[in-house]
Coordinates of all heavy atoms in Angstrom, one line a residue:
M15 N 13.0 17.0 -8.2 CA 12.9 16.0 -9.2 C 11.9 16.5 -10.2 O 11.0 17.2 -10.1 CB 12.3 14.7 -8.4 CG 11.8 13.8 -9.6 SD 11.3 12.3 -8.7 CE 10.8 11.4 -10.1
H16 N 12.4 16.1 -11.5 CA 11.6 16.6 -12.7 C 10.4 15.8 -12.7 O 10.4 14.5 -12.6 CB 12.5 16.3 -14.0 CG 11.7 16.1 -15.1 ND1 11.1 17.3 -15.7 CD2 11.2 15.3 -16.0 CE1 10.5 17.1 -16.9 NE2 10.5 15.7 -17.1
R17 N 9.2 16.5 -12.8 CA 7.9 15.9 -13.1 C 7.7 15.6 -14.4 O 7.5 16.6 -15.2 CB 6.9 16.6 -12.4 CG 5.5 16.1 -12.5 CD 4.3 16.9 -12.0 NE 3.1 16.3 -12.3 CZ 2.0 16.6 -11.7 NH1 2.0 17.6 -10.9 NH2 0.9 16.0 -11.9
P18 N 7.7 14.4 -15.0 CA 7.3 14.2 -16.4 C 5.8 14.8 -16.7 O 4.9 14.5 -15.8 CB 7.4 12.8 -16.6 CG 7.5 12.1 -15.2 CD 7.8 13.1 -14.2
A19 N 5.7 15.3 -17.8 CA 4.3 15.8 -18.2 C 3.5 14.5 -18.5 O 4.2 13.4 -19.0 CB 4.3 16.5 -19.5
P20 N 2.3 14.4 -18.0 CA 1.4 13.2 -18.3 C 1.6 12.8 -19.7 O 1.6 11.5 -20.0 CB 0.0 13.5 -18.1 CG 0.2 14.7 -16.9 CD 1.4 15.4 -17.4
S21 N 1.7 13.6 -20.8 CA 1.8 13.3 -22.1 C 3.1 12.5 -22.5 O 3.2 11.7 -23.4 CB 1.7 14.4 -23.0 OG 2.7 15.4 -22.9
E22 N 4.0 12.7 -21.5 CA 5.3 11.9 -21.7 C 5.3 10.5 -21.2 O 6.2 9.7 -21.7 CB 6.5 12.6 -20.9 CG 6.9 14.0 -21.4 CD 8.0 14.5 -20.5 OE1 8.8 13.9 -20.1 OE2 7.8 15.7 -20.1
I23 N 4.3 10.2 -20.4 CA 4.2 8.9 -19.7 C 3.3 8.0 -20.6 O 2.2 8.6 -20.8 CB 3.7 9.0 -18.3 CG1 4.6 10.0 -17.5 CG2 3.7 7.7 -17.6 CD1 4.0 10.2 -16.3
P24 N 3.7 6.8 -20.9 CA 2.7 6.0 -21.7 C 1.6 5.6 -20.9 O 1.5 5.3 -19.8 CB 3.6 4.7 -22.0 CG 4.8 5.1 -21.8 CD 5.0 6.3 -20.8
D25 N 0.4 5.6 -21.6 CA -0.9 5.2 -21.0 C -1.0 3.6 -21.4 O -1.8 3.1 -22.1 CB -2.1 5.8 -21.6 CG -3.3 5.5 -20.8 OD1 -3.2 5.0 -19.6 OD2 -4.5 5.7 -21.3
A26 N -0.2 2.9 -20.7 CA 0.0 1.5 -21.0 C 0.4 0.7 -19.8 O 1.1 1.3 -18.8 CB 1.1 1.2 -22.2
P27 N 0.4 -0.6 -19.7 CA 0.9 -1.4 -18.5 C 2.5 -1.4 -18.5 O 3.1 -1.2 -19.6 CB 0.5 -2.7 -18.7 CG 0.0 -2.9 -20.1 CD -0.2 -1.4 -20.7
G28 N 2.9 -1.5 -17.4 CA 4.5 -1.6 -17.3 C 5.0 -1.5 -15.9 O 4.2 -1.5 -15.0
S29 N 6.2 -1.4 -15.8 CA 7.1 -1.3 -14.5 C 7.7 0.1 -14.5 O 8.2 0.6 -15.6 CB 8.2 -2.4 -14.4 OG 8.9 -2.2 -13.3
Y30 N 7.8 0.7 -13.3 CA 8.4 1.9 -13.1 C 9.4 1.9 -12.1 O 9.2 1.1 -11.0 CB 7.5 3.1 -13.0 CG 6.4 2.9 -11.7 CD1 6.8 3.4 -10.5 CD2 5.4 2.1 -11.9 CE1 6.0 3.3 -9.4 CE2 4.5 2.0 -10.8 CZ 4.9 2.5 -9.5 OH 4.1 2.3 -8.4
Q31 N 10.4 2.7 -12.1 CA 11.6 2.7 -11.1 C 11.9 4.1 -10.8 O 12.0 4.9 -11.6 CB 12.8 2.1 -11.7 CG 12.6 0.6 -12.3 CD 12.1 0.6 -13.7 OE1 12.4 1.5 -14.5 NE2 11.1 -0.3 -13.9
F32 N 11.9 4.3 -9.4 CA 12.4 5.7 -9.0 C 13.8 5.5 -8.5 O 14.2 4.5 -7.9 CB 11.7 6.1 -7.7 CG 10.2 6.7 -8.1 CD1 9.1 6.0 -8.2 CD2 10.2 8.0 -8.5 CE1 7.9 6.5 -8.4 CE2 8.9 8.7 -8.8 CZ 7.8 7.8 -8.8
R33 N 14.7 6.4 -9.0 CA 16.2 6.4 -8.6 C 16.5 7.7 -7.8 O 15.9 8.6 -7.9 CB 16.9 6.3 -9.9 CG 16.7 5.1 -10.8 CD 17.6 5.1 -11.9 NE 17.5 3.9 -12.7 CZ 18.1 2.8 -12.5 NH1 19.2 2.8 -11.7 NH2 17.9 1.7 -13.2
D34 N 17.4 7.4 -6.9 CA 18.0 8.6 -6.2 C 18.9 9.4 -6.9 O 19.4 9.0 -8.1 CB 18.7 8.0 -4.8 CG 19.7 7.2 -4.9 OD1 20.3 7.1 -6.0 OD2 20.1 6.5 -3.8
A35 N 19.7 10.3 -6.3 CA 20.7 11.2 -7.0 C 21.7 10.4 -7.4 O 22.5 10.8 -8.4 CB 21.0 12.4 -6.1
H36 N 22.1 9.2 -6.9 CA 23.3 8.5 -7.2 C 22.9 7.4 -8.3 O 23.9 6.6 -8.7 CB 23.8 7.7 -6.0 CG 24.2 8.6 -4.9 ND1 25.2 9.5 -4.9 CD2 23.6 8.9 -3.8 CE1 25.4 10.2 -3.8 NE2 24.3 9.9 -3.1
G37 N 21.8 7.4 -8.8 CA 21.3 6.5 -9.8 C 20.8 5.1 -9.3 O 20.5 4.1 -10.1
E38 N 20.8 5.0 -7.9 CA 20.2 3.7 -7.3 C 18.8 3.7 -7.3 O 18.1 4.5 -7.1 CB 20.8 3.7 -6.0 CG 22.3 3.6 -5.6 CD 22.9 2.3 -6.2 OE1 22.4 1.2 -6.0 OE2 24.0 2.3 -6.7
V39 N 18.3 2.4 -7.5 CA 16.9 2.2 -7.5 C 16.4 2.3 -6.1 O 17.0 1.5 -5.3 CB 16.5 1.0 -8.3 CG1 15.0 0.6 -8.2 CG2 16.9 0.9 -9.7
V40 N 15.5 3.1 -5.9 CA 14.9 3.2 -4.6 C 13.5 2.6 -4.4 O 13.0 2.3 -3.3 CB 15.0 4.6 -3.9 CG1 16.4 5.0 -3.7 CG2 14.2 5.6 -4.8
Y41 N 12.8 2.4 -5.6 CA 11.5 1.9 -5.5 C 11.2 1.3 -7.0 O 11.4 2.1 -7.9 CB 10.5 2.9 -5.1 CG 9.0 2.4 -5.0 CD1 8.8 1.5 -3.8 CD2 8.1 2.4 -6.0 CE1 7.5 0.9 -3.7 CE2 6.9 1.7 -5.8 CZ 6.5 1.1 -4.7 OH 5.3 0.5 -4.5
V42 N 10.6 0.2 -7.0 CA 10.1 -0.4 -8.2 C 8.6 -0.8 -8.0 O 8.3 -1.3 -7.0 CB 10.9 -1.7 -8.6 CG1 10.2 -2.3 -9.8 CG2 12.3 -1.3 -8.8
G43 N 7.8 -0.3 -9.1 CA 6.3 -0.7 -8.9 C 5.8 -1.1 -10.3 O 6.6 -1.1 -11.3
K44 N 4.6 -1.6 -10.3 CA 4.0 -2.0 -11.6 C 2.6 -1.2 -11.7 O 2.1 -0.9 -10.7 CB 3.7 -3.5 -11.6 CG 2.7 -3.9 -10.5 CD 2.3 -5.4 -10.7 CE 1.2 -5.9 -9.8 NZ 0.0 -5.0 -10.0
A45 N 2.2 -1.2 -12.9 CA 0.8 -0.4 -13.2 C 0.2 -1.0 -14.3 O 0.8 -1.4 -15.4 CB 1.3 1.0 -13.2
K46 N -1.2 -0.9 -14.2 CA -2.0 -1.2 -15.4 C -2.0 0.1 -16.4 O -1.9 -0.1 -17.6 CB -3.5 -1.4 -15.1 CG -4.4 -1.7 -16.0 CD -5.8 -1.8 -15.7 CE -6.2 -2.3 -14.3 NZ -7.6 -2.4 -14.0
S47 N -1.8 1.1 -15.7 CA -1.6 2.3 -16.5 C -0.4 3.2 -16.0 O -0.6 3.8 -15.0 CB -2.9 3.3 -16.7 OG -2.5 4.6 -17.2
L48 N 0.7 3.2 -16.7 CA 1.8 4.0 -16.2 C 1.5 5.4 -15.9 O 2.0 6.0 -15.0 CB 3.1 3.7 -17.2 CG 3.7 2.4 -17.2 CD1 4.6 2.3 -18.4 CD2 4.6 2.2 -15.9
R49 N 0.8 6.0 -16.9 CA 0.5 7.4 -16.9 C -0.3 7.7 -15.6 O 0.0 8.7 -14.8 CB -0.4 7.9 -18.0 CG -0.8 9.4 -18.0 CD -1.5 9.7 -19.2 NE -0.6 9.5 -20.5 CZ -1.1 9.4 -21.7 NH1 -2.3 9.6 -22.0 NH2 0.0 9.2 -22.6
K50 N -1.3 6.9 -15.2 CA -2.0 7.2 -14.0 C -1.3 6.9 -12.8 O -1.3 7.8 -11.8 CB -3.3 6.3 -14.0 CG -4.3 6.8 -15.1 CD -5.5 5.8 -15.1 CE -6.6 6.2 -16.0 NZ -7.6 5.2 -16.2
R51 N -0.5 5.9 -12.8 CA 0.2 5.5 -11.5 C 1.4 6.4 -11.3 O 1.5 6.9 -10.1 CB 0.7 4.0 -11.7 CG 1.3 3.5 -10.4 CD 0.3 3.3 -9.3 NE 0.9 3.2 -8.0 CZ 0.9 4.0 -7.0 NH1 0.3 5.1 -7.0 NH2 1.5 3.6 -5.9
V52 N 2.1 6.6 -12.2 CA 3.3 7.6 -12.0 C 3.0 8.9 -11.7 O 3.4 9.6 -10.7 CB 4.3 7.5 -13.3 CG1 5.4 8.5 -13.2 CG2 4.9 6.0 -13.5
S53 N 1.9 9.5 -12.4 CA 1.4 10.7 -12.1 C 0.9 11.0 -10.7 O 1.0 12.1 -10.1 CB 0.2 11.2 -13.1 OG 0.7 11.3 -14.4
S54 N 0.4 9.9 -10.1 CA -0.2 9.9 -8.8 C 0.8 10.3 -7.8 O 0.5 10.7 -6.6 CB -1.0 8.5 -8.5 OG 0.1 7.5 -8.2
Y55 N 2.1 10.0 -8.0 CA 3.2 10.4 -7.2 C 3.5 11.9 -7.0 O 4.1 12.3 -6.1 CB 4.5 9.6 -7.5 CG 4.5 8.1 -7.1 CD1 4.1 7.2 -8.1 CD2 4.8 7.7 -5.9 CE1 4.1 5.8 -7.8 CE2 4.8 6.4 -5.6 CZ 4.4 5.4 -6.6 OH 4.4 4.1 -6.2
F56 N 2.9 12.6 -7.9 CA 3.2 14.0 -8.1 C 2.0 14.8 -7.7 O 1.9 16.0 -7.9 CB 3.7 14.3 -9.5 CG 4.9 13.8 -9.8 CD1 5.0 12.5 -10.6 CD2 6.3 14.3 -9.5 CE1 6.2 11.9 -10.8 CE2 7.3 13.7 -9.8 CZ 7.3 12.4 -10.6
T57 N 1.2 14.2 -6.8 CA 0.1 15.0 -6.2 C 0.6 15.9 -5.1 O 1.7 15.7 -4.7 CB -0.9 14.1 -5.6 OG1 -0.4 13.3 -4.6 CG2 -1.5 13.2 -6.7
K58 N -0.2 16.7 -4.4 CA 0.2 17.7 -3.4 C 0.6 16.7 -2.2 O 0.0 15.8 -1.9 CB -0.9 18.6 -3.1 CG -1.3 19.4 -4.2 CD -2.3 20.6 -3.7 CE -2.7 21.3 -4.9 NZ -2.7 22.5 -5.3
A59 N 1.7 17.1 -1.6 CA 2.3 16.4 -0.3 C 1.3 16.1 0.6 O 1.2 15.0 1.2 CB 3.4 17.2 0.2
H60 N 0.4 17.0 0.9 CA -0.5 16.7 2.1 C -1.7 15.7 1.7 O -2.3 15.1 2.6 CB -1.3 18.1 2.5 CG -2.2 18.6 1.5 ND1 -2.0 19.3 0.5 CD2 -3.7 18.5 1.4 CE1 -3.1 19.7 -0.2 NE2 -4.0 19.0 0.3
T61 N -1.8 15.2 0.4 CA -2.7 14.2 0.1 C -1.9 12.8 0.0 O -2.6 11.8 -0.3 CB -3.3 14.5 -1.3 OG1 -2.4 14.6 -2.2 CG2 -4.1 15.8 -1.2
Q62 N -0.7 12.8 0.1 CA 0.2 11.6 0.0 C 0.4 10.9 1.3 O 0.4 11.5 2.3 CB 1.6 11.9 -0.6 CG 1.6 12.6 -1.9 CD 3.0 12.9 -2.3 OE1 3.9 13.1 -1.6 NE2 3.1 13.0 -3.7
T63 N 0.6 9.6 1.2 CA 0.9 8.9 2.5 C 2.3 9.2 2.8 O 3.1 9.8 2.1 CB 0.7 7.4 2.3 OG1 1.8 6.9 1.4 CG2 -0.6 7.0 1.7
Q64 N 2.8 9.0 4.1 CA 4.0 9.2 4.6 C 4.9 8.4 3.9 O 6.2 9.0 3.5 CB 4.1 8.9 6.1 CG 5.5 9.3 6.6 CD 5.8 10.8 6.7 OE1 4.9 11.6 7.0 NE2 7.0 11.2 6.2
K65 N 4.6 7.2 3.5 CA 5.5 6.4 2.6 C 5.9 7.1 1.3 O 7.0 7.1 0.8 CB 4.9 5.0 2.5 CG 5.8 4.0 1.6 CD 4.9 2.7 1.5 CE 5.6 1.9 0.3 NZ 4.8 0.6 0.0
T66 N 4.8 7.6 0.6 CA 5.0 8.2 -0.6 C 5.8 9.5 -0.4 O 6.7 9.9 -1.2 CB 3.7 8.7 -1.3 OG1 3.0 7.4 -1.5 CG2 3.8 9.3 -2.6
R67 N 5.6 10.3 0.7 CA 6.4 11.6 1.0 C 7.9 11.2 1.1 O 8.7 11.9 0.6 CB 5.8 12.2 2.1 CG 4.5 13.0 1.7 CD 4.1 14.0 2.9 NE 4.0 13.4 4.1 CZ 2.8 12.9 4.6 NH1 1.8 13.1 3.7 NH2 2.6 12.4 5.7
D68 N 8.1 10.2 1.8 CA 9.5 9.8 2.1 C 10.2 9.2 0.9 O 11.4 9.7 0.6 CB 9.6 8.5 3.1 CG 9.1 8.9 4.5 OD1 9.1 10.1 4.7 OD2 8.9 8.0 5.3
L69 N 9.5 8.6 -0.1 CA 10.1 8.1 -1.3 C 10.3 9.3 -2.2 O 11.4 9.5 -2.7 CB 9.0 7.3 -2.1 CG 9.4 7.0 -3.7 CD1 10.6 6.2 -3.7 CD2 8.2 6.2 -4.2
M70 N 9.4 10.4 -2.4 CA 9.6 11.5 -3.2 C 10.7 12.4 -2.6 O 11.3 13.1 -3.4 CB 8.3 12.3 -3.4 CG 7.3 11.4 -4.0 SD 7.8 10.6 -5.6 CE 7.9 12.0 -6.6
A71 N 10.9 12.3 -1.4 CA 12.0 13.1 -0.8 C 13.4 12.8 -1.3 O 14.3 13.5 -1.3 CB 12.0 13.1 0.7
V72 N 13.6 11.3 -1.6 CA 14.8 10.9 -2.0 C 15.0 10.6 -3.6 O 16.1 10.5 -4.0 CB 15.2 9.6 -1.2 CG1 15.4 9.8 0.2 CG2 14.3 8.4 -1.5
A73 N 13.8 10.5 -4.1 CA 13.7 10.2 -5.5 C 14.3 11.3 -6.4 O 13.9 12.5 -6.1 CB 12.3 9.9 -5.9
D74 N 15.1 11.1 -7.4 CA 15.7 12.1 -8.3 C 15.2 12.0 -9.6 O 15.2 12.9 -10.4 CB 17.2 12.0 -8.1 CG 17.9 13.2 -9.0 OD1 17.6 14.3 -8.4 OD2 18.5 12.9 -9.8
S75 N 14.7 10.8 -10.0 CA 14.3 10.5 -11.4 C 13.4 9.3 -11.3 O 13.3 8.5 -10.5 CB 15.4 10.3 -12.3 OG 16.1 9.1 -12.0
V76 N 12.5 9.3 -12.4 CA 11.7 8.1 -12.6 C 11.8 7.6 -14.1 O 11.9 8.4 -15.0 CB 10.2 8.4 -12.2 CG1 9.6 9.6 -13.1 CG2 9.4 7.2 -12.3
E77 N 11.9 6.3 -14.2 CA 11.9 5.8 -15.6 C 10.9 4.7 -15.5 O 10.4 4.1 -14.6 CB 13.3 5.3 -16.0 CG 13.9 4.4 -14.9 CD 15.3 4.3 -15.2 OE1 16.1 5.2 -15.4 OE2 15.8 3.1 -15.2
W78 N 10.4 4.2 -16.8 CA 9.6 3.1 -17.0 C 9.8 2.2 -18.1 O 10.6 2.6 -19.1 CB 8.1 3.7 -17.0 CG 8.0 4.7 -18.1 CD1 7.9 4.7 -19.4 CD2 8.1 6.1 -17.8 NE1 8.0 5.8 -20.1 CE2 8.0 6.8 -19.0 CE3 8.2 6.9 -16.7 CZ2 8.0 8.2 -19.2 CZ3 8.2 8.3 -16.8 CH2 8.1 8.9 -18.0
I79 N 9.2 1.0 -18.0 CA 9.5 -0.1 -19.1 C 8.0 -0.5 -19.4 O 7.2 -0.9 -18.5 CB 10.3 -1.1 -18.5 CG1 11.5 -0.8 -18.1 CG2 10.2 -2.3 -19.7 CD1 12.3 -1.8 -17.4
V80 N 7.6 -0.2 -20.5 CA 6.3 -0.6 -21.1 C 6.2 -2.1 -21.4 O 7.1 -2.6 -21.9 CB 5.8 0.2 -22.4 CG1 4.5 -0.3 -22.9 CG2 5.9 1.7 -22.1
T81 N 5.2 -2.8 -20.9 CA 4.9 -4.1 -21.2 C 3.7 -4.5 -21.9 O 2.9 -3.5 -22.2 CB 4.9 -5.0 -19.8 OG1 3.8 -4.4 -19.1 CG2 6.3 -4.8 -19.1
E82 N 3.4 -5.7 -22.3 CA 2.1 -6.0 -23.0 C 1.0 -6.0 -22.1 O -0.1 -5.9 -22.4 CB 2.3 -7.3 -23.8 CG 3.3 -7.3 -24.8 CD 2.8 -6.4 -26.0 OE1 1.6 -6.6 -26.3 OE2 3.6 -5.7 -26.7
N83 N 1.3 -6.4 -20.8 CA 0.1 -6.5 -19.8 C 0.6 -6.5 -18.4 O 1.9 -6.4 -18.1 CB -0.6 -8.0 -20.1 CG 0.4 -9.1 -20.1 OD1 1.2 -9.3 -19.1 ND2 0.5 -9.9 -21.1
E84 N -0.3 -6.6 -17.4 CA 0.0 -6.4 -16.1 C 0.9 -7.5 -15.6 O 1.8 -7.4 -14.7 CB -1.1 -6.4 -15.2 CG -1.9 -5.1 -15.3 CD -3.1 -5.1 -14.4 OE1 -4.3 -5.5 -14.9 OE2 -3.0 -4.5 -13.3
V85 N 0.8 -8.8 -16.1 CA 1.5 -9.9 -15.7 C 3.1 -9.7 -16.0 O 4.0 -9.9 -15.1 CB 1.1 -11.2 -16.3 CG1 2.0 -12.4 -16.2 CG2 -0.3 -11.5 -15.9
E86 N 3.3 -9.1 -17.2 CA 4.7 -8.8 -17.5 C 5.3 -7.8 -16.7 O 6.4 -7.7 -16.1 CB 4.8 -8.5 -19.0 CG 4.8 -9.6 -20.0 CD 5.0 -9.0 -21.5 OE1 5.4 -7.9 -21.6 OE2 4.6 -9.9 -22.3
A87 N 4.3 -6.7 -16.3 CA 4.9 -5.7 -15.5 C 5.1 -6.3 -14.1 O 6.1 -5.9 -13.4 CB 3.7 -4.7 -15.3
F88 N 4.5 -7.2 -13.5 CA 4.6 -7.8 -12.2 C 5.9 -8.6 -12.3 O 6.7 -8.5 -11.3 CB 3.4 -8.8 -11.8 CG 3.7 -9.7 -10.7 CD1 3.6 -8.9 -9.4 CD2 4.1 -10.8 -10.7 CE1 3.9 -9.7 -8.3 CE2 4.3 -11.6 -9.6 CZ 4.2 -11.0 -8.3
L89 N 6.2 -9.3 -13.4 CA 7.4 -10.1 -13.5 C 8.6 -9.2 -13.4 O 9.6 -9.7 -12.9 CB 7.4 -11.0 -14.8 CG 6.4 -12.2 -14.7 CD1 6.2 -12.9 -16.0 CD2 6.7 -13.1 -13.5
L90 N 8.4 -8.0 -14.1 CA 9.6 -7.1 -14.0 C 9.9 -6.5 -12.5 O 11.1 -6.3 -12.2 CB 9.4 -6.0 -14.9 CG 9.7 -6.1 -16.4 CD1 9.3 -4.9 -17.2 CD2 11.1 -6.5 -16.5
A91 N 8.8 -6.3 -11.8 CA 8.8 -5.8 -10.4 C 9.3 -6.8 -9.4 O 9.6 -6.6 -8.3 CB 7.6 -5.1 -10.1
L92 N 9.0 -8.2 -9.9 CA 9.2 -9.2 -8.8 C 10.6 -9.3 -8.1 O 10.6 -9.5 -6.9 CB 8.9 -10.6 -9.5 CG 8.8 -11.7 -8.7 CD1 7.8 -11.6 -7.6 CD2 8.5 -13.0 -9.4
P93 N 11.7 -9.2 -8.9 CA 13.0 -9.3 -8.2 C 13.1 -8.2 -7.1 O 13.7 -8.4 -6.1 CB 14.0 -9.0 -9.3 CG 13.3 -9.5 -10.6 CD 11.9 -9.1 -10.3
S94 N 12.5 -7.1 -7.2 CA 12.7 -6.0 -6.2 C 11.8 -6.4 -5.0 O 12.3 -6.1 -3.8 CB 12.1 -4.7 -6.8 OG 12.1 -3.7 -5.9
L95 N 10.8 -7.0 -5.2 CA 9.8 -7.5 -4.2 C 10.6 -8.6 -3.3 O 10.5 -8.6 -2.0 CB 8.5 -8.0 -4.6 CG 7.6 -8.7 -3.6 CD1 7.2 -7.8 -2.6 CD2 6.3 -9.3 -4.3
V96 N 11.2 -9.5 -4.0 CA 11.9 -10.5 -3.5 C 13.1 -10.0 -2.5 O 13.3 -10.5 -1.4 CB 12.4 -11.7 -4.4 CG1 13.4 -12.5 -3.7 CG2 11.2 -12.4 -5.1
E97 N 13.7 -9.0 -3.0 CA 15.0 -8.5 -2.3 C 14.3 -7.8 -1.0 O 14.9 -8.0 0.0 CB 15.6 -7.4 -3.2 CG 16.8 -6.8 -2.5 CD 17.9 -7.8 -2.0 OE1 18.1 -8.8 -2.6 OE2 18.5 -7.5 -1.0
R98 N 13.2 -7.1 -1.1 CA 12.7 -6.4 0.1 C 12.3 -7.4 1.1 O 12.5 -7.3 2.3 CB 11.5 -5.5 -0.2 CG 11.8 -4.2 -0.8 CD 10.5 -3.4 -0.9 NE 9.8 -3.9 -2.1 CZ 8.8 -3.5 -2.6 NH1 8.3 -2.2 -2.2 NH2 8.2 -3.9 -3.6
L99 N 11.6 -8.6 0.6 CA 11.3 -9.6 1.7 C 12.5 -10.2 2.2 O 12.5 -10.6 3.4 CB 10.4 -10.7 0.8 CG 9.0 -10.2 0.4 CD1 8.4 -11.4 -0.4 CD2 8.2 -9.9 1.6
R100 N 13.6 -10.5 1.5 CA 14.8 -10.9 2.1 C 15.4 -10.1 3.2 O 15.7 -10.6 4.2 CB 15.8 -11.1 1.0 CG 15.5 -12.4 0.1 CD 17.0 -12.5 -0.8 NE 16.6 -13.7 -1.6 CZ 17.0 -13.8 -2.9 NH1 17.7 -12.7 -3.4 NH2 16.7 -14.8 -3.7
R101 N 15.4 -8.7 2.9 CA 15.8 -7.8 3.8 C 14.9 -7.9 5.1 O 15.4 -7.9 6.2 CB 15.9 -6.4 3.3 CG 16.9 -6.2 2.3 CD 17.1 -4.6 2.1 NE 16.0 -4.1 1.6 CZ 15.8 -3.8 0.4 NH1 16.5 -4.2 -0.6 NH2 14.7 -3.1 0.1
D102 N 13.7 -8.0 4.9 CA 12.6 -8.1 6.1 C 13.0 -9.4 6.9 O 13.0 -9.2 8.2 CB 11.2 -8.1 5.6 CG 10.8 -6.7 5.2 OD1 11.5 -5.7 5.4 OD2 9.6 -6.7 4.6
V103 N 13.2 -10.5 6.3 CA 13.4 -11.7 7.0 C 14.8 -11.6 7.7 O 14.9 -11.9 8.8 CB 13.5 -12.9 6.0 CG1 13.9 -14.2 6.6 CG2 12.0 -13.1 5.5
A104 N 15.8 -11.2 7.0 CA 17.1 -10.9 7.6 C 16.9 -9.9 8.9 O 17.6 -10.3 9.9 CB 18.0 -10.4 6.7
M105 N 16.2 -8.9 8.8 CA 16.0 -8.0 10.1 C 15.3 -8.6 11.2 O 15.6 -8.3 12.3 CB 15.3 -6.8 9.6 CG 16.2 -5.8 8.7 SD 15.2 -4.4 8.2 CE 14.2 -3.8 9.5
H106 N 14.4 -9.7 10.9 CA 13.7 -10.3 12.0 C 14.1 -11.5 12.4 O 13.5 -12.3 12.9 CB 12.2 -10.4 11.4 CG 11.5 -9.0 11.3 ND1 11.3 -8.1 12.3 CD2 11.1 -8.4 10.1 CE1 10.7 -7.1 11.8 NE2 10.7 -7.1 10.4
G107 N 15.4 -11.8 11.8 CA 16.0 -13.2 12.2 C 15.3 -14.5 11.6 O 15.3 -15.5 12.3
G108 N 14.6 -14.3 10.6 CA 13.9 -15.4 9.9 C 12.7 -15.8 10.4 O 12.0 -16.7 10.1
S109 N 12.1 -15.0 11.6 CA 10.8 -15.4 12.1 C 10.0 -14.2 12.2 O 10.4 -13.0 12.4 CB 11.1 -16.0 13.6 OG 11.6 -14.9 14.4
R110 N 8.8 -14.4 12.2 CA 7.7 -13.3 12.3 C 6.9 -13.5 13.6 O 6.7 -14.4 14.0 CB 6.8 -13.4 11.1 CG 7.6 -13.1 9.8 CD 7.0 -11.9 9.1 NE 7.9 -11.5 8.0 CZ 8.1 -10.4 7.6 NH1 7.4 -9.4 8.3 NH2 8.8 -10.0 6.6

């Protein structure tokens, strides 16, 4: 995966999306500073959580949308969160 240079990533709030080689979104997140948050995914593997290592193993690209504030970034990421929750509920038969 191409690692964007920190100077390419806006130092602004926004939503970011990792896509796999087929262009499918595999992860959506929000950030107060896109530069800091997106750059954090490109640290050395031994310092990453297993979840991050798994994500980076399938991610082929990253893109972002700059927003005015964190609330707008959250609203952009919300549909992805709702979809993940729906899948979790479906997997557990609607009960926890």
Side-chain angles (χ1 to χ4, degrees):
M15 171 173 176
H16 164 71
R17 177 186 179 162
S21 61
E22 294 177 38
I23 307 168
D25 189 19
S29 173
Y30 58 95
Q31 306 82 41
F32 282 95
R33 294 181 180 270
D34 65 14
H36 304 289
E38 295 293 320
V39 174
V40 293
Y41 186 77
V42 175
K44 65 169 186 63
K46 185 187 319 185
S47 168
L48 287 166
R49 181 175 298 158
K50 289 178 185 174
R51 186 68 188 113
V52 172
S53 294
S54 75
Y55 285 94
F56 296 95
T57 60
K58 295 184 189 244
H60 72 276
T61 64
Q62 297 174 336
T63 64
Q64 186 62 48
K65 178 181 165 185
T66 301
R67 286 192 298 270
D68 293 345
L69 169 64
M70 296 310 286
V72 297
D74 187 64
S75 65
V76 61
E77 54 194 49
W78 47 82
I79 301 169
V80 175
T81 60
E82 291 291 321
N83 53 55
E84 288 181 272
V85 173
E86 285 184 12
F88 174 75
L89 292 174
L90 283 174
L92 189 59
S94 176
L95 174 62
V96 170
E97 183 59 33
R98 276 187 292 188
L99 291 173
R100 281 188 185 143
R101 285 194 305 263
D102 286 351
V103 169
M105 285 175 45
H106 297 290
S109 64
R110 294 233 172 219

